[in-house]
Amino acid sequence: MPNFDDQIYAVLIQIPAGKVTTYGNVAKLAGFPRHARHVGKLLSSLPKDTRLPWFRVINASGMISLKGESFERQREKLLADGIEVKENGAVSLRRFLWDGEPC
DNA sequence: AGCCTGACTCCTA
DNA sequence: CTAGGAGCCAGGC
C-alpha cells in the first residue's frame, strides 16, 4: 500500500489547468476519504519551488483557505490559470470544479 | 495515555 | 452570507 503523501502527489499532478478541486476531493481520489485536513498539512510542507499545482486546491466552500501573503500568492496563481477569483478568494466551483479524473 | 492544533467538512440556526 | 458545534485524522508535547 503506497504511503499517503505519494498518493496525494499523484492526484495533484492530475488536476487539469484552469480547474480547481477541494481538499476532501483530493483525499478521496487518493484513497483516503477522511483525510482532508492532512492534505492541507501536506501542502503546507511543500517547498516554494514545487511543480505540484497546490494552488488549485481550495476548501469545499470554494474559498481559498490561506491568509495574508500566502493567500495572495495562491490567488495570483489561479488567475494566471484563467480561473476567476474574487477579492475575498471565492471561486465558482460551478464552473471550475474538477471532480475526479475525466479520462 | 491525554490534550491541543490545523491550508477540512458537514449540519443547524 | 455568518456563527457555532461536532466529527474527522495525524502529529507534537
Side-chain angles (χ1 to χ4, degrees), chain A residues 67-97:
Chain A
K67 299 182 276 289
E69 299 180 12
S70 299
F71 168 86
E72 293 298 337
R73 252 185 323 181
Q74 179 169 16
R75 180 162 176 272
E76 291 302 313
K77 291 269 193 180
L78 292 175
L79 290 174
D81 249 21
I83 298 172
E84 298 175 14
V85 186
K86 297 188 176 191
E87 287 296 327
N88 63 351
V91 177
S92 301
L93 292 180
R94 195 71 163 276
R95 300 177 50 190
F96 302 106
L97 177 63

Side-chain angles (χ1 to χ4, degrees), chain A residues 39-51:
Chain A
V39 173
K41 188 165 294 189
L42 177 59
L43 296 189
S44 69
S45 69
L46 290 175
K48 59 181 180 181
D49 62 349
T50 180
R51 324 281 204 73

Side-chain angles (χ1 to χ4, degrees), chain A residues 29-44:
Chain A
L29 293 176
F32 300 87
R34 294 176 198 73
H35 290 60
R37 306 186 85 144
H38 209 62
V39 173
K41 188 165 294 189
L42 177 59
L43 296 189
S44 69

